[in-house]
Amino acid sequence: MSSHHADTAKNFPVTWEELHRHAKALAWRISDKGPWKGIVAITRGGLVPAAILARELNIRLIDTICISSYDHQNQRTAQNLKAPVAVEGEGEGWLIVDDLVDTGKTAAIVRNMMPKAHFATIYAKPAGRPLVDTFITEVSQDTWIHFPWDLNPIAYMQIRND
Ligand SMILES: O=P(O)(O)OC[C@H]1O[C@H](OP(=O)(O)OP(=O)(O)O)[C@H](O)[C@@H]1O
Ligand SMILES: [Mg+2]
């Protein structure tokens, strides 16, 4: 995803190293809130953060919930493609992981499915923030976060230098 898609005012590119540090910080912040039955990663953005949290917190049971709501930077109606299979009841004791909350639409769907789970993201924008239990870094609503899995290094350098 390159900057010509930008309809948000500010670009916030994140490197693999920054992402890794922030994901570890998230793991430490929730380490005393367990024990956890397992992690539910919200695909696809939650997959890499979930992998880092799983190693840091020594969690081996990883489920997914598959939701799609954006084409590039354009939001459309969220599609629920797959529910978790290992989660029973209201999700008590489960840790839900996503990369960020923006409008909170994705988080609202997931919260509805698992109201008692702990919802953790690395980044949060103000509109989605009330739906998250734990996050690490807040950015303003008009900021677009660029994740390292979506950028090649050259595009990353261009945005970084803007
Ligand atoms: O708070 P919201 O406005 O719902 O936005 C946040 C969601 O949007 C992105 O996912 P996306 O739907 O783009 O799919 P992806 O994770 O496969 O990239 C991001 O990973 C969050 O899951
Ligand atoms: Mg996502």
Short mmCIF file of all heavy atoms in Angstrom, two decimals, residues 36-41 50 54 58-64 85-87 94-95:
data_model
loop_
_atom_site.label_atom_id
_atom_site.label_comp_id
_atom_site.label_asym_id
_atom_site.label_seq_id
_atom_site.Cartn_x
_atom_site.Cartn_y
_atom_site.Cartn_z
N TRP A 36 -4.13 -17.56 30.30
CA TRP A 36 -4.95 -17.55 29.10
C TRP A 36 -5.21 -18.96 28.61
O TRP A 36 -4.32 -19.80 28.62
CB TRP A 36 -4.25 -16.75 27.99
CG TRP A 36 -3.86 -15.38 28.44
CD1 TRP A 36 -2.59 -14.95 28.73
CD2 TRP A 36 -4.72 -14.25 28.68
NE1 TRP A 36 -2.62 -13.63 29.13
CE2 TRP A 36 -3.91 -13.18 29.11
CE3 TRP A 36 -6.09 -14.05 28.57
CZ2 TRP A 36 -4.44 -11.93 29.43
CZ3 TRP A 36 -6.61 -12.81 28.89
CH2 TRP A 36 -5.79 -11.76 29.32
N LYS A 37 -6.44 -19.19 28.16
CA LYS A 37 -6.75 -20.48 27.53
C LYS A 37 -6.09 -20.54 26.17
O LYS A 37 -5.73 -21.62 25.67
CB LYS A 37 -8.26 -20.62 27.36
CG LYS A 37 -9.00 -20.80 28.69
CD LYS A 37 -10.50 -20.83 28.48
CE LYS A 37 -11.22 -20.97 29.81
NZ LYS A 37 -12.64 -20.54 29.72
N GLY A 38 -5.97 -19.39 25.53
CA GLY A 38 -5.34 -19.33 24.21
C GLY A 38 -5.52 -17.94 23.62
O GLY A 38 -6.09 -17.05 24.25
N ILE A 39 -4.98 -17.80 22.41
CA ILE A 39 -5.07 -16.53 21.69
C ILE A 39 -6.02 -16.70 20.51
O ILE A 39 -6.01 -17.73 19.85
CB ILE A 39 -3.68 -16.11 21.17
CG1 ILE A 39 -2.79 -15.65 22.34
CG2 ILE A 39 -3.79 -15.01 20.11
CD1 ILE A 39 -1.38 -15.28 21.93
N VAL A 40 -6.85 -15.68 20.28
CA VAL A 40 -7.60 -15.60 19.03
C VAL A 40 -7.02 -14.45 18.24
O VAL A 40 -7.12 -13.28 18.64
CB VAL A 40 -9.11 -15.36 19.28
CG1 VAL A 40 -9.84 -15.21 17.95
CG2 VAL A 40 -9.71 -16.51 20.07
N ALA A 41 -6.36 -14.76 17.12
CA ALA A 41 -5.79 -13.73 16.25
C ALA A 41 -6.84 -13.29 15.25
O ALA A 41 -7.52 -14.12 14.64
CB ALA A 41 -4.57 -14.29 15.52
N ALA A 50 0.07 -11.66 17.12
CA ALA A 50 -0.30 -12.86 17.89
C ALA A 50 0.87 -13.83 18.00
O ALA A 50 1.08 -14.44 19.05
CB ALA A 50 -1.49 -13.56 17.24
N ALA A 54 2.37 -14.94 21.49
CA ALA A 54 2.32 -16.36 21.83
C ALA A 54 3.67 -16.85 22.33
O ALA A 54 3.75 -17.62 23.29
CB ALA A 54 1.88 -17.18 20.61
N ASN A 58 4.25 -17.65 26.15
CA ASN A 58 4.29 -19.11 26.15
C ASN A 58 2.90 -19.73 25.97
O ASN A 58 2.51 -20.65 26.68
CB ASN A 58 4.96 -19.63 27.43
CG ASN A 58 5.45 -21.06 27.26
OD1 ASN A 58 5.69 -21.51 26.14
ND2 ASN A 58 5.57 -21.76 28.37
N ILE A 59 2.16 -19.20 25.01
CA ILE A 59 0.82 -19.71 24.67
C ILE A 59 0.93 -20.51 23.38
O ILE A 59 1.50 -20.04 22.40
CB ILE A 59 -0.18 -18.54 24.49
CG1 ILE A 59 -0.34 -17.78 25.81
CG2 ILE A 59 -1.52 -19.05 23.98
CD1 ILE A 59 -1.09 -16.46 25.67
N ARG A 60 0.38 -21.74 23.39
CA ARG A 60 0.51 -22.60 22.21
C ARG A 60 -0.79 -22.84 21.46
O ARG A 60 -0.78 -23.37 20.35
CB ARG A 60 1.13 -23.94 22.61
CG ARG A 60 2.61 -23.79 22.93
CD ARG A 60 3.14 -24.98 23.70
NE ARG A 60 4.50 -24.69 24.17
CZ ARG A 60 5.59 -24.92 23.45
NH1 ARG A 60 5.50 -25.42 22.25
NH2 ARG A 60 6.79 -24.63 23.94
N LEU A 61 -1.90 -22.49 22.08
CA LEU A 61 -3.20 -22.66 21.41
C LEU A 61 -3.60 -21.35 20.73
O LEU A 61 -3.88 -20.35 21.40
CB LEU A 61 -4.26 -23.10 22.43
CG LEU A 61 -5.66 -23.37 21.89
CD1 LEU A 61 -5.64 -24.33 20.70
CD2 LEU A 61 -6.55 -23.92 23.00
N ILE A 62 -3.60 -21.35 19.42
CA ILE A 62 -3.90 -20.13 18.65
C ILE A 62 -5.07 -20.42 17.71
O ILE A 62 -4.99 -21.32 16.88
CB ILE A 62 -2.70 -19.70 17.76
CG1 ILE A 62 -1.35 -19.91 18.45
CG2 ILE A 62 -2.89 -18.26 17.28
CD1 ILE A 62 -1.00 -18.92 19.49
N ASP A 63 -6.12 -19.64 17.87
CA ASP A 63 -7.28 -19.75 16.98
C ASP A 63 -7.34 -18.47 16.14
O ASP A 63 -6.58 -17.52 16.39
CB ASP A 63 -8.54 -19.92 17.83
CG ASP A 63 -9.68 -20.60 17.08
OD1 ASP A 63 -9.66 -20.60 15.83
OD2 ASP A 63 -10.59 -21.11 17.75
N THR A 64 -8.23 -18.45 15.17
CA THR A 64 -8.37 -17.24 14.36
C THR A 64 -9.84 -16.85 14.23
O THR A 64 -10.73 -17.70 14.28
CB THR A 64 -7.84 -17.44 12.92
OG1 THR A 64 -8.48 -18.56 12.33
CG2 THR A 64 -6.33 -17.62 12.91
N VAL A 85 -12.88 -21.60 16.35
CA VAL A 85 -13.45 -22.95 16.53
C VAL A 85 -13.22 -23.51 17.93
O VAL A 85 -13.98 -24.35 18.39
CB VAL A 85 -12.89 -23.95 15.47
CG1 VAL A 85 -13.32 -23.53 14.07
CG2 VAL A 85 -11.38 -24.07 15.56
N ALA A 86 -12.18 -23.01 18.63
CA ALA A 86 -11.85 -23.59 19.94
C ALA A 86 -12.51 -22.85 21.10
O ALA A 86 -12.52 -23.32 22.22
CB ALA A 86 -10.33 -23.60 20.12
N VAL A 87 -13.06 -21.66 20.81
CA VAL A 87 -13.62 -20.83 21.88
C VAL A 87 -15.04 -21.27 22.19
O VAL A 87 -15.86 -21.42 21.29
CB VAL A 87 -13.61 -19.34 21.47
CG1 VAL A 87 -14.23 -18.48 22.55
CG2 VAL A 87 -12.18 -18.89 21.17
N TRP A 94 -9.84 -15.99 27.21
CA TRP A 94 -9.17 -15.92 25.91
C TRP A 94 -8.62 -14.52 25.67
O TRP A 94 -9.19 -13.53 26.13
CB TRP A 94 -10.14 -16.28 24.78
CG TRP A 94 -10.38 -17.76 24.70
CD1 TRP A 94 -11.27 -18.46 25.45
CD2 TRP A 94 -9.71 -18.70 23.87
NE1 TRP A 94 -11.20 -19.80 25.13
CE2 TRP A 94 -10.24 -19.97 24.16
CE3 TRP A 94 -8.70 -18.59 22.91
CZ2 TRP A 94 -9.82 -21.13 23.52
CZ3 TRP A 94 -8.27 -19.73 22.26
CH2 TRP A 94 -8.82 -20.98 22.57
N LEU A 95 -7.53 -14.49 24.93
CA LEU A 95 -6.87 -13.23 24.58
C LEU A 95 -7.07 -13.00 23.08
O LEU A 95 -6.61 -13.79 22.26
CB LEU A 95 -5.37 -13.34 24.91
CG LEU A 95 -4.47 -12.18 24.55
CD1 LEU A 95 -4.90 -10.90 25.28
CD2 LEU A 95 -3.02 -12.53 24.91
#
